Amino acid sequence: MTEPQPDSVTLHAGCKINLHLEITGVRENGYHELDTLFFPLPKPFDTITITKAPADSGLILECPALDIPAEKNIIYKSWEKYAAQTGWKPDLSVHVEKGIPDGAGLGGGSSDAAAVLNYLNTYCPAPLSAEKLNTLAASIGADVPFFLNNIPAHATGIGDELTPSDISLAGYSLVLICPDISISTPWAFAAWDKAMLRNNACNNKKDILTTHPPEDRKHSSRALWLFNSFEVVVYSAFPKLRAYKEKLMEFGAAGAVMSGSGSSIFALYREMEQATRAAAALEAEGVATYLHHL
Ligand code: C5P
């Protein structure tokens, strides 16, 4: 039985980090094959308030932090695609308070989209199966399927073929920093393509897949250690980020790595005190810092 739709509901859409992100190839359409381990974090988060709107208003979307027309927002796209597939087009007013910075590699937009898709599928008179919802989510953005379930997951394909992971970081303290640098994901992929073409002296994008060393790919199915293919190209364009990572390491981190296509970086500490000191040091430099005891 579908639940009755509430007059108003407030959702917290959390973020993700990639404990491991390896680009393993390039598809004909330019999209990249990935081998990645997604891990959800409760903060930073976006606050989404969804209220029933008067009949025939469609979707009224307010997201004051984003300077783009509502129709370009990934939430709008999600609502439209869900309506097209199910025939259910609820009149809604959606207000988004952004807490997850844009261009941080934390999946903020994808998290919002998944929260709205989950809302729609909860109250739709004829909801989609989990599989169909997953396919719809992937057509909206590569990271959206992960946020539907929001549990640690190993992903392949373009990041949309998910297998739940039993990885646990229990006992670790994690410091996530969000430097004031916004990185466009398409830019980061293009920079990686360019670097690969340079390094391998191959002539076109399609060759990247075949010239990428197979040994690198073999390991990644286990995807257990901190790694990110984007680090080299992103750090060479934004050296300040490499310096932040080194600073996080100085406090005794077991490891530190960039998340997604950047610019956020996280570090894992075995001792809570190391993490607290690292977080305080980065904060003193004016960097937004989030401390998690896992
Ligand atoms: O799917 P999403 O909108 O998050 O991706 C943004 C852009 O990043 C895509 O347009 C594409 O250029 C690039 N991308 C990619 N391979 C992926 C995911 C994204 O090349 N697996």
Side-chain angles (χ1 to χ4, degrees), residues 23 25-26 29-34 74 77 110 138-144 157-160 184-187 189-190 193 205 230 261:
I23 303 172
V26 185
N29 65 2
Y31 261 73
H32 295 72
E33 299 268 348
L34 303 176
I74 192 168
K77 204 163 137 190
S110 304
S139 77
I140 293 164
D143 293 346
V144 183
I158 58 161
D160 59 332
S184 135
T185 301
W187 171 85
F189 275 112
D193 285 348
K205 271 193 180 182
F230 286 114
S261 50

